[in-house]
Amino acid sequence: MTTTVSPPAKSSRRRRSGNTDRGFNRVFRWIAVGAGATILAVLAAVALFLISEAWPAITASPEELAAGVPRYPEDTSLLAYLGPLVFGTVLAAVLALVLAVPVAMGIALFISHYAPRRLSQVLGALVDLLAAIPSVIYGLWGFFVLAPVLTPFWTWLNENLGWFPLWGGQVSPTGRSMATVGVVLAIMILPIITAVSREVFLQTPKLHEEAALALGATRWEVIRTAVLPFGRSGVISASMLGLGRALGETMAVLMILSPGFTYTLDILAAGQHQTIAAYIAADFPESTGLGVNTLIAAGLALFVITLAVNMTARWVVARRKDFSGAN
Amino acid sequence: MSVTTQNPGRGSSETARLLSTVDPGRRRTDRVMQVLIYIAFGLAMIPLGWLIFTVVAQGADRISLDFLFQSMRNIFGGDPRGGIYHAILGTVVITALATVISVPIGILTAIYLVEYGKGWLARSVTFFVDVMTGIPSIVAGLFAFSLFALIFGPAVRIGVMGAVALSVLMIPVVVRSCEEMLKLVPNELREASYALGVPKWLTIVKVVLRTSVAGLTTGVLLAIARVIGETAPLLVTVGVTDSINANAFDGRMMTLPVFAYRQYSQGNAPCPGGDTATCVSDIASQNAWGAALVLIAMVLALNLIGRLITRWFAPKLG
Amino acid sequence: MERLVNLSRFTRAGSAVAVGALALSLAACGSDPEPAGSTGDETTEASEDMEGGLSGTLSGGGASSQEAAMNAWRAGFQQANPDATVNYDPVGSGGGRTGFGDGSYKFAGSDAALDDEELAAAEAQCGEGGVIEFPGYVSPVAVAFNLEGVDSLNMGPETIANIFLGEITSWDDEAIAADNPDADLPSTPITVVHRSDESGTTENFEEYLYTVAPDIWTAEPSGVWPVDGQESAQGTSGVVGAAQAGEGTITYADASQVGDLGTVAVGVGGDFVEYSAEAAAEVVAQSPRTEGTSEYVYTIDLDRDIAGTYPIVLVSYSLACTTYDDEETAELVKGFLGYVASEEGQQAASDAAGSAPLSDTIRQAIMPGIESISAG
């Protein structure tokens, strides 16, 4: 195989003149640069096209919107209309995060420090499989299987710990509440949080760990004194990446949640919350005209929120170059 | 470990005991945390096993040759005939198209970042590729819709729109994994090639890409697995149909995830005479589970093949 | 020395590509089956006496409520005319009317009759007096509940309105007990389940409550449910599924889909009437036709209080023109709508979607319109 290399090699040798960036070399470099620039262009295009299609809704008066969008209440600005959706989106994502982060850290520590070395790759791949399962299947499973199983537990929480702000209200008898959605979303974002945290934990300087061991620390003490402090910013950014995922998840929410448009913390009750992504997917097929523009405006809001969260997360990661191998 | 001063008052076995044990409180904490950490891992495995078991248990009965190789044309109500061929075909066509768009851009960008990347452009590309991995899939769908709606009007629903939406999701995944693979190629190989007078582009094509081809294949397969199950972007771009359509540039297409979702939302069919051979009232949810099983099998197969390729063919480095 | 290994690495890498290619071609292989395509060939239950030679593609769209019936109609028509394909986009009533008005849909389905403005747009497309509109799909909407051991309950309009408003919160409430002296009512709390999406069913149900219990139900009917904070689900199957999943739930849904849920016999004209396709057909047949419309626009003003009829019905209209630009489209619309309005087509829809068949009076009124569809 390598012999085929020689003819062009000869030619390039002939015109060696200090500047190697000539002929096809230059073309190839520009192709590569062009591909890189394409990424930036695509991201810009996403923003631009969303803005251009959302523009009619952004500039429309509340009266026009109320007339053109079926769900739109009278005398409401677009921001006030999207408010409950943003609230629902953030609530779902935060719930998922609260449930997922402790478990994900446990898994990451298990894989990086507890499991046998030989197994750790396989176990990591198993956790990653959770991310590979299509969200529509999470939706099917959540609706048909998980929600009925969780309902008695939610009822119990409501009856015994109903004083806690999140567990008040009337429990949904079907389990199709924000709490169930939070559990499913937590499962869905486990892999990304685990993957990033795992990488960070693995990069703990061996010397730190060995120093702790030399001082007679138990395995947990090593983790508490050496691994966790070192990985803190990594875990924070991993959580934010998970948050970004949870914010944008569509199908699982669409299929499980019983939607509503209110500001309330009663996560066990039905018909209270809706997320932006599920709202778009639910209403898009039967929308026309200004309705579509309004949905795209909601999508733009989601885009801005996730962009902000992801950029912050990546910025935190990038500040510590050691973690650049993560995810 | 450290040298201990022998205490003449105690036996050496006692010293050894003291040195090798910790006090009960610390030891308990250690044990409790260990158990908690094992439980955490178990907690993650429960939904994985439960979910796969459910899909297999619910979907296996529906799988048959007819189900795999027939469409839903002229099938309605509780009719238990028909199948998901049109959806499988749509998924394959749209995903293949997305792959054709994403892989060249993704690999070339990875090459740019690893082989050429310097300065602000490379830094911002790296940063925004990472940011792009977090774009919600529905937003990618809306982007494709906006793009095509501006050109063809708001009623347009064609397969290639879905492919564009999936590409937005797929490109960053391809870039990230290919970048890692290219970084694994040892610099000695490049330098050896340069020393022979091979130009840089040829070194990249013939040495770097050749060496990392297994890893690149894995990366691409995992990226495909990642987008093949996407539902939301397809829901807003490619529409639905119950007939076979292999042309991504004309007309609506059905895809597996959308098919599963549509069947799920169809609900029970009215069967006046109860369930008979020609009317099964819960046929729609059976179809949904059947499609889910096929989809999950595709995703798992892609993952497995991808990981096996790395395992079998990865260059043993270091 | 160590680098010599690279040679074998190259060949291994080559085989990795081969495996990848193999995987891809395998996938391609699976997409190449023997008799893919329509499965209906072996069973042609559809009529033989229809004009079977039509060909071409006809695209319509509109109300998603008609989708189940439309699937039956499309299948029946396509089986009788194997070269013809009919597409129906369930884009919603509003989308259907808009699409019909701008000519992108050759026929449309809508849960509401065209208003004056839309009629004007449609006439611009079809020509003066050239719009055909008839209630092709009439479906009873059942008020269904899930209550252990109770299959049927009597409820007057006021009771229904109060329950759906959330004013009556328990199944053993006096208002319910009064109409059901024999029923053994538990004290289970009532959970109302409504449609989360915009829908004709919701609009129709609201319109019913607004008409029969105007003092209690004050919200102007729209396709969106006006009460906040209740359980909701998407689509008919969604609400039925949610109702089945919870104890003490009540919902409104397309009657054909309620399955084993208990249903409410609705108080109408001093009596309680269980839903049935016949009772629903009756209310449409007995309600007066809207006055002052053009010849082929057969819309009705639903009368919700006729004794012996079932008052909660979803009336979904079929829209078409009497003239089309080209012969093929005209023939297809004529053939297809002729099938839809025919006894046979109505029966097919009734079997598939539980709809109430069109009465002979209405059929006789609109058939001449459909017969007159032509090109030019």
Side-chain angles (χ1 to χ4, degrees):
Chain A
M1 296 298 262
T2 37
T3 49
T4 52
V5 168
S6 30
K10 257 179 220 152
S11 69
S12 93
R13 198 183 306 152
R14 215 181 303 129
R15 55 170 118 132
R16 187 189 315 155
S17 60
N19 181 7
T20 53
D21 194 20
R22 274 162 182 261
F24 199 74
N25 250 353
R26 177 177 298 183
V27 175
F28 191 79
R29 188 164 73 92
W30 281 113
I31 292 176
V33 174
T38 310
I39 303 274
L40 300 184
V42 166
L43 203 62
V46 171
L48 278 179
F49 279 105
L50 286 182
I51 291 173
S52 84
E53 281 290 292
W55 197 249
I58 296 172
T59 50
S61 68
E63 293 78 47
E64 285 172 313
L65 284 170
V69 185
R71 203 184 287 285
Y72 208 92
E74 302 278 332
D75 299 326
T76 318
S77 72
L78 187 64
L79 279 181
Y81 178 62
L82 295 180
L85 289 170
V86 174
F87 174 78
T89 308
V90 173
L91 181 68
V94 169
L95 269 180
L97 204 61
V98 168
L99 291 172
V101 167
V103 179
M105 285 183 63
I107 300 170
L109 287 173
F110 176 77
I111 293 172
S112 65
H113 286 81
Y114 282 81
R117 268 294 129 110
R118 284 187 303 120
L119 276 183
S120 63
Q121 247 191 333
V122 178
L123 297 178
L126 270 181
V127 176
D128 286 345
L129 268 191
L130 278 175
I133 290 172
S135 56
V136 66
I137 295 179
Y138 276 107
L140 282 175
W141 176 73
F143 178 80
F144 284 113
V145 181
L146 189 65
V149 171
L150 286 177
T151 307
F153 178 64
W154 298 144
T155 315
W156 181 86
L157 272 186
N158 177 259
E159 277 164 8
N160 295 287
L161 300 164
W163 49 267
F164 191 74
L166 286 179
W167 297 329
Q170 197 195 347
V171 180
S172 159
T174 59
R176 298 172 59 245
S177 58
M178 202 49 141
T180 308
V181 169
V183 172
V184 174
L185 287 185
I187 297 170
M188 297 178 77
I189 63 173
L190 267 184
I192 179 138
I193 305 181
T194 307
V196 179
S197 317
R198 186 174 77 203
E199 292 302 320
V200 180
F201 292 154
L202 279 175
Q203 282 165 9
T204 315
K206 273 281 156 290
L207 283 176
H208 291 196
E209 290 182 33
E210 279 164 14
L213 283 172
L215 291 170
T218 61
R219 182 139 60 162
W220 168 246
E221 283 162 350
V222 171
I223 288 169
R224 197 167 51 84
T225 55
V227 179
L228 289 185
F230 179 82
R232 188 181 300 133
S233 70
V235 171
I236 290 172
S237 69
S239 311
M240 295 194 73
L241 291 176
L243 186 69
R245 284 282 155 82
L247 286 169
E249 178 45 45
T250 312
M251 295 314 290
V253 182
L254 176 67
M255 294 166 82
I256 298 170
L257 186 63
S258 159
F261 297 81
T262 60
Y263 296 96
T264 165
L265 286 175
D266 297 344
I267 58 168
L268 301 179
Q272 310 293 335
H273 314 99
Q274 173 72 310
T275 72
I276 296 179
Y279 162 69
I280 296 171
D283 279 17
F284 196 88
E286 298 206 4
S287 289
T288 45
L290 205 54
V292 173
N293 299 127
T294 310
L295 290 176
I296 292 179
L300 186 65
L302 178 64
F303 179 63
V304 170
I305 296 171
T306 49
L307 207 61
V309 169
N310 279 298
M311 284 174 76
T312 319
R314 294 298 176 183
W315 179 72
V316 173
V317 180
R319 253 191 345 166
R320 296 200 57 167
K321 267 283 172 227
D322 316 335
F323 303 156
S324 63
N327 189 34
Chain B
M1 303 272 252
S2 57
V3 182
T4 46
T5 42
Q6 281 282 348
N7 189 330
R10 292 186 190 166
S12 62
S13 62
E14 172 71 3
T15 314
R17 194 187 62 77
L18 274 177
L19 278 174
S20 60
T21 56
V22 288
D23 73 278
R26 289 169 61 207
R27 196 167 128 176
R28 210 177 303 123
T29 321
D30 186 48
R31 271 294 137 87
V32 167
M33 289 320 292
Q34 179 168 8
V35 168
L36 283 181
I37 283 170
Y38 274 78
I39 288 178
F41 184 76
L43 270 181
M45 289 301 106
I46 291 172
L48 183 67
W50 191 2
L51 199 146
I52 292 179
F53 170 78
T54 312
V55 173
V56 172
Q58 301 270 2
D61 283 349
R62 187 69 185 119
I63 303 294
S64 68
L65 277 183
D66 279 358
F67 186 67
L68 293 177
F69 288 116
Q70 291 187 336
S71 74
M72 289 297 277
R73 190 176 153 92
N74 290 351
I75 303 292
F76 62 90
D79 195 335
R81 292 172 302 144
I84 54 172
Y85 176 70
H86 58 312
I88 297 178
L89 186 70
T91 291
V92 169
V93 168
I94 289 175
T95 315
L97 209 57
T99 312
V100 167
I101 300 172
S102 319
V103 166
I105 297 180
I107 291 189
L108 282 169
T109 305
I111 290 175
Y112 165 70
L113 289 176
V114 175
E115 306 291 333
Y116 296 96
K118 276 197 286 294
W120 67 270
L121 183 62
R123 272 202 307 279
S124 45
V125 169
T126 311
F127 182 75
F128 281 109
V129 163
D130 286 343
V131 170
M132 241 174 117
T133 56
I135 288 186
S137 57
I138 186 99
V139 170
L142 288 181
F143 158 67
F145 171 80
S146 307
L147 178 69
F148 282 79
L150 279 180
I151 305 170
F152 299 106
V156 61
R157 298 279 187 283
I158 48 179
V160 69
M161 289 168 77
V164 168
L166 293 187
S167 302
V168 173
L169 301 169
M170 195 169 165
I171 289 172
V173 183
V174 175
V175 175
R176 287 303 295 175
S177 51
C178 291
E179 199 188 341
E180 297 301 323
M181 292 307 148
L182 295 182
K183 276 183 187 160
L184 287 178
V185 177
N187 260 334
E188 291 95 320
L189 286 188
R190 296 190 182 89
E191 281 155 13
S193 174
Y194 296 149
L196 291 170
V198 180
K200 185 164 185 176
W201 73 272
L202 211 52
T203 305
I204 293 170
V205 174
K206 295 271 178 184
V207 177
V208 178
L209 289 186
R210 280 284 175 80
T211 314
S212 54
V213 70
L216 297 182
T217 316
T218 301
V220 170
L221 285 179
L222 292 186
I224 294 176
R226 180 71 165 276
V227 297
I228 204 168
E230 283 295 348
T231 318
L234 300 177
L235 212 53
V236 300
T237 52
V238 301
V240 294
T241 175
D242 51 16
S243 301
I244 294 170
N245 175 18
N247 184 354
F249 298 92
D250 183 34
R252 286 134 194 272
M253 291 180 100
M254 190 51 114
T255 51
L256 270 178
V258 175
F259 178 83
Y261 172 66
R262 294 279 304 177
Q263 293 289 321
Y264 146 86
S265 35
Q266 198 162 308
N268 288 348
C271 286
D275 283 5
T276 59
T278 55
C279 189
V280 180
S281 66
D282 67 340
I283 191 68
S285 61
Q286 285 188 32
N287 281 337
W289 285 113
L293 177 58
V294 172
L295 186 60
I296 219 169
M298 283 167 104
V299 171
L300 293 187
L302 281 168
N303 267 281
L304 198 68
I305 296 172
R307 292 191 198 273
L308 287 182
I309 285 180
T310 340
R311 182 159 280 222
W312 287 341
F313 302 107
K316 305 279 183 292
L317 297 164
Chain C
M1 286 293 275
E2 200 190 10
R3 291 293 166 226
L4 285 177
V5 183
N6 290 342
L7 264 184
S8 74
R9 185 192 299 160
F10 283 137
T11 51
R12 283 203 287 176
S15 43
V17 177
V19 166
L22 189 72
L24 283 176
S25 65
L26 269 179
C29 226
S31 67
D32 198 14
E34 321 80 60
S38 70
T39 56
D41 296 352
E42 58 274 25
T43 51
T44 23
E45 310 132 358
S47 65
E48 319 74 40
D49 52 282
M50 285 170 52
E51 55 269 62
L54 296 176
S55 63
T57 303
L58 179 64
S59 288
S64 48
S65 59
Q66 290 195 20
E67 202 182 354
M70 195 57 81
N71 284 340
W73 288 329
R74 286 168 53 217
F77 183 71
Q78 286 173 169
Q79 277 165 4
N81 304 278
D83 293 333
T85 298
V86 180
N87 292 321
Y88 184 77
D89 295 343
V91 293
S93 298
R97 293 195 297 267
T98 313
F100 184 67
D102 66 23
S104 53
Y105 292 142
K106 301 304 171 200
F107 72 99
S110 167
D111 292 340
L114 294 176
D115 61 25
D116 292 345
E117 198 178 315
E118 287 161 344
L119 195 61
E123 290 205 326
Q125 198 70 37
C126 300
E128 190 75 22
V131 179
I132 301 176
E133 187 173 8
F134 66 96
Y137 177 75
V138 175
S139 169
V141 176
V143 179
F145 57 86
N146 185 12
L147 203 56
E148 187 79 47
V150 185
D151 290 335
S152 178
L153 285 174
N154 296 334
M155 286 185 195
E158 288 80 16
T159 316
I160 298 178
N162 274 325
I163 288 176
F164 278 91
L165 268 184
E167 300 291 333
I168 297 179
T169 54
S170 159
W171 282 103
D172 56 1
D173 192 278
E174 287 161 23
I176 304 176
D179 285 337
N180 300 280
D182 304 332
D184 181 20
L185 293 167
S187 62
T188 319
I190 298 180
T191 306
V192 173
V193 181
H194 65 84
R195 289 280 291 267
S196 62
D197 47 339
E198 190 214 1
S199 85
T201 312
T202 303
E203 181 161 8
N204 202 275
F205 185 61
E206 285 179 61
E207 210 170 81
Y208 164 74
L209 294 173
Y210 189 68
T211 317
V212 296
D215 305 333
I216 301 164
W217 193 271
T218 51
E220 195 83 29
S222 75
V224 178
W225 191 248
V227 187
D228 272 336
Q230 294 173 332
E231 179 116 8
S232 64
Q234 193 172 13
T236 299
S237 61
V239 288
V240 171
Q244 281 165 342
E247 174 72 15
T249 51
I250 186 165
T251 189
Y252 57 93
D254 201 319
S256 60
Q257 298 241 9
V258 298
D260 52 3
L261 290 173
T263 51
V264 170
V266 177
V268 54
D271 199 8
F272 293 101
V273 181
E274 273 283 355
Y275 85 86
S276 67
E278 296 74 42
E282 209 47 39
V283 75
V284 175
Q286 292 191 24
S287 293
R289 178 177 174 172
T290 314
E291 283 168 18
T293 57
S294 65
E295 193 182 354
Y296 302 129
V297 175
Y298 196 108
T299 54
I300 53 170
D301 293 325
L302 215 50
D303 185 341
R304 307 269 192 183
D305 202 27
I306 306 172
T309 64
Y310 187 78
I312 320 177
V313 288
L314 170 67
V315 179
S316 194
Y317 292 94
S318 303
L319 304 170
C321 292
T322 51
T323 51
Y324 288 92
D325 288 342
D326 64 301
E327 189 73 35
E328 188 184 271
T329 310
E331 287 302 313
L332 277 170
V333 176
K334 186 175 169 180
F336 182 64
L337 284 194
Y339 174 63
V340 167
S342 72
E343 232 166 293
E344 196 186 347
Q346 288 292 313
Q347 192 54 46
S350 180
D351 291 344
S355 62
L358 216 55
S359 72
D360 286 335
T361 329
I362 301 180
R363 183 174 302 116
Q364 276 155 22
I366 50 135
M367 267 307 183
I370 296 173
E371 295 295 334
S372 74
I373 293 175
S374 61

